[in-house]
Amino acid sequence: MLKVKIICDKEFTIGEIDDRLYGSFLEHMGRVIYHGVYEPEHVCSDEEGFRKDVLQAVRELGITAVRYPGGNFVSAYHWEDGVGPREERPRKVDLAWKAVETNEFGTDEFIHWARKAGVMPIFTVNLGTRGIEEALQYLEYCNFPSGTQYSDLRRRHGVEEPYRVKLWCLGNEIDGNWQIGHKNAAEYGRLAAEAGKVMKLLDPEIELIACGSSLSAMKTYPAWDMEVLEETYDVIDYLALHQYYGGQEKGTAAFLAQTLDMETYIQTIRAAVQVVKQKKRSAKEVKLSIDEWGVWAVPGNTVNIEVEANPWQTAAPISEQIYTMEDALLFSSMQMTMLRNADAVKIACQSLLTNVSACIMTESNGEMWLQTIYYPFYYFANYGRGTVLQSVYHGESYNCEGFNNVPYLDQVVVWNRTRNEVAVFLVNRSESDSQEVKIVLQGMRPNTVKEAIYLSAEDKKMTNQKDHLAVQPRESNTVELKENCVTATILPLSFMMIRVGI
């Protein structure tokens, strides 16, 4: 049994959690859209073809924002193909995923779906094969009231009121050589700055997200970020970071330690932002948007095998990763890392929502089920609201391939003034030892344990694919409250949330 002590004080805070930190992502990739959120022929779909079981799961999950339409897909996408009468929309080749895109689901459908799901839309413009003029036209279609070419086009499509989309991404992963329209930092920075400038001339109320590095492993990181920030700082509001982790073959200890890399990644980009801010003598604060993140649980060379063998299908099932209990722990720690940087990270989009690296899985013409990662996200999104507290960790650490001084217990503490409660989130990285945790809440008067749940499994490789309830949260009876201290026992390789009334 390992012993751990966590100390926090309500007077020592990190920052306020932005609701948009609990976002997700829809892209025209595989079965994310078609047979995921949209399946008109399904028995439980509504009059617009949206799967009601998926909508319900999204609402319950607590998702606040969803990014659309990509992703790699957007870098060759013509937004005009996805608006207006469906019978007039063209079938197009999708070069990103070697598919045929029917455009049956587009901007208008996404907005309708987002309103039913209760989420904020985040749109991405194509700065791969297109540029300033098309970005401006897309914004005009969505946000301008009336009396112009593209606003009146929207009205002819039956949408009188503008969509008023506030958040716009200036392209996607343009630093990657896999991206259609890949550019170097100087080329992208100038294009993004000019596109952003004219978009804000049309609608000064929007916020803009520029492409930062696509992974911490990119050879151009962090020089790309510095150069893009220098070009775009005056017009953008956020810099995007994307991050996925795999590498289960390295062993559990190294696999779960990867969030230390994520912490360094975020801290480095935070420093880059501050350097550019000072160089420009600017009072403006540019924040971060981690608008793609998740666990990439299959080897990269197997993701598109089916597509390579039989390309140019519509909504072919690709990269339908099945998550294990082990994956859910890394997923949880990634979420904790973002929370510990809540003063800078204001937007995050778990990637993706359905079927591809997803929380929610659907069977075509069949049932829906929830992956192991659904449950940690649910507890973070529903109870990780308010102020992140600084917390001091006293406990043992380990060394592994690529990382030193990895805490056996990952943790973050959130104080919710509205609910008068503190939520403590914990991940035990140890494969063999339970941990006896003592949480000292200084400057507070805890009076009750409102809820204590944990997520664990007999086998770290257990999934919910066959038995959909194999890995699910359970109540913990190990939590005790005495004066201003909470004690709990957390099992090996498990996630725990404790809610304490204050």
Side-chain angles (χ1 to χ4, degrees), residues 303-364:
V303 172
N304 296 317
I305 281 180
E306 184 173 342
V307 170
E308 295 291 344
N310 190 14
W312 314 121
Q313 301 179 62
T314 295
I318 61 172
S319 194
E320 299 204 354
Q321 302 168 61
I322 305 302
Y323 287 118
T324 65
M325 179 66 223
E326 184 182 42
D327 296 329
L329 296 177
L330 177 57
F331 183 92
S332 302
S333 283
M334 292 180 76
Q335 185 74 76
M336 289 186 194
T337 304
M338 290 182 279
L339 286 171
R340 284 193 294 268
N341 290 276
D343 56 328
V345 180
K346 296 299 179 183
I347 302 166
C349 298
Q350 172 271 329
S351 174
L352 287 134
L353 181 59
T354 53
N355 292 327
V356 176
S357 60
C359 288
I360 300 167
M361 299 297 292
T362 66
E363 302 295 339
S364 297

Side-chain angles (χ1 to χ4, degrees), residues 351-415:
S351 174
L352 287 134
L353 181 59
T354 53
N355 292 327
V356 176
S357 60
C359 288
I360 300 167
M361 299 297 292
T362 66
E363 302 295 339
S364 297
N365 299 309
E367 64 181 343
M368 178 205 75
W369 56 277
L370 308 177
Q371 296 242 50
T372 59
I373 63 172
Y374 181 96
Y375 299 107
F377 192 104
Y378 168 87
Y379 286 103
F380 283 116
N382 283 278
Y383 300 109
R385 301 295 183 99
T387 306
V388 181
L389 299 180
Q390 294 182 25
S391 53
V392 179
Y393 170 86
H394 295 285
E396 295 187 38
S397 301
Y398 66 90
N399 299 330
C400 61
E401 181 183 347
F403 301 98
N404 293 321
N405 301 315
V406 183
Y408 273 112
L409 188 76
D410 200 3
Q411 50 81 29
V412 71
V413 182
V414 177
W415 177 29

Side-chain angles (χ1 to χ4, degrees), residues 174-444:
I174 302 295
D175 61 326
N177 60 11
W178 60 85
Q179 200 70 205
I180 298 167
H182 162 62
K183 299 171 177 63
N184 64 36
E187 293 167 337
Y188 169 73
R190 290 298 304 137
L191 176 60
E194 289 303 307
K197 180 180 73 177
V198 298
M199 289 174 75
K200 283 194 170 181
L201 286 174
L202 182 66
D203 187 347
E205 299 301 315
I206 62 172
E207 293 184 313
L208 298 174
I209 305 169
C211 294
S213 291
S214 298
L215 289 166
S216 61
M218 296 293 291
K219 291 181 179 180
T220 53
Y221 154 79
W224 166 280
D225 307 86
M226 291 288 293
E227 192 165 353
V228 168
L229 281 166
E230 293 231 22
E231 292 285 359
T232 64
Y233 197 92
D234 294 334
V235 72
I236 66 169
D237 302 280
Y238 306 92
L239 187 71
L241 289 68
H242 291 180
Q243 190 62 53
Y244 298 90
Y245 292 112
Q248 292 87 338
E249 68 281 357
K250 295 180 180 179
T252 298
F255 178 67
L256 297 181
Q258 291 178 105
T259 49
L260 275 67
D261 173 78
M262 189 177 189
E263 184 75 49
T264 300
Y265 183 25
I266 294 172
Q267 291 296 327
T268 301
I269 301 303
R270 292 184 65 161
V273 170
Q274 291 306 308
V275 169
V276 174
K277 177 183 177 182
Q278 294 306 315
K279 285 183 70 175
K280 290 183 171 290
R281 304 297 190 266
S282 176
K284 179 182 179 180
E285 292 283 349
V286 169
K287 300 297 185 180
L288 305 184
S289 171
I290 306 180
D291 49 33
E292 282 190 37
W293 71 272
V295 177
W296 200 254
V298 297
N301 61 357
T302 68
V303 172
N304 296 317
I305 281 180
E306 184 173 342
V307 170
E308 295 291 344
N310 190 14
W312 314 121
Q313 301 179 62
T314 295
I318 61 172
S319 194
E320 299 204 354
Q321 302 168 61
I322 305 302
Y323 287 118
T324 65
M325 179 66 223
E326 184 182 42
D327 296 329
L329 296 177
L330 177 57
F331 183 92
S332 302
S333 283
M334 292 180 76
Q335 185 74 76
M336 289 186 194
T337 304
M338 290 182 279
L339 286 171
R340 284 193 294 268
N341 290 276
D343 56 328
V345 180
K346 296 299 179 183
I347 302 166
C349 298
Q350 172 271 329
S351 174
L352 287 134
L353 181 59
T354 53
N355 292 327
V356 176
S357 60
C359 288
I360 300 167
M361 299 297 292
T362 66
E363 302 295 339
S364 297
N365 299 309
E367 64 181 343
M368 178 205 75
W369 56 277
L370 308 177
Q371 296 242 50
T372 59
I373 63 172
Y374 181 96
Y375 299 107
F377 192 104
Y378 168 87
Y379 286 103
F380 283 116
N382 283 278
Y383 300 109
R385 301 295 183 99
T387 306
V388 181
L389 299 180
Q390 294 182 25
S391 53
V392 179
Y393 170 86
H394 295 285
E396 295 187 38
S397 301
Y398 66 90
N399 299 330
C400 61
E401 181 183 347
F403 301 98
N404 293 321
N405 301 315
V406 183
Y408 273 112
L409 188 76
D410 200 3
Q411 50 81 29
V412 71
V413 182
V414 177
W415 177 29
N416 189 320
R417 295 179 182 85
T418 304
R419 286 179 171 159
N420 293 319
E421 70 179 31
V422 164
V424 182
F425 300 95
L426 308 167
V427 166
N428 186 357
R429 292 184 172 115
S430 174
E431 291 193 70
S432 57
D433 293 312
S434 294
Q435 299 203 49
E436 185 179 288
V437 185
K438 182 179 181 181
I439 305 151
V440 182
L441 303 175
Q442 294 182 165
M444 305 180 219

Side-chain angles (χ1 to χ4, degrees), residues 453-464:
I453 63 93
Y454 69 97
L455 192 71
S456 69
E458 296 176 5
D459 182 347
K460 65 185 179 183
K461 299 298 185 181
M462 187 175 287
T463 75
N464 287 344

Side-chain angles (χ1 to χ4, degrees), residues 97-146:
W97 305 115
K98 289 192 175 180
V100 172
E101 172 57 52
T102 67
N103 287 303
E104 186 178 350
F105 185 103
T107 295
D108 297 330
E109 289 75 26
F110 173 74
I111 289 290
H112 294 174
W113 179 89
R115 288 173 175 171
K116 289 183 176 182
V119 301
M120 173 187 290
I122 302 174
F123 276 4
T124 307
V125 298
N126 175 359
L127 293 188
T129 60
R130 308 187 93 183
I132 297 169
E133 188 171 10
E134 292 84 4
L136 190 62
Q137 291 166 357
Y138 196 13
L139 177 63
E140 181 185 323
Y141 180 89
C142 290
N143 285 16
F144 205 77
S146 63

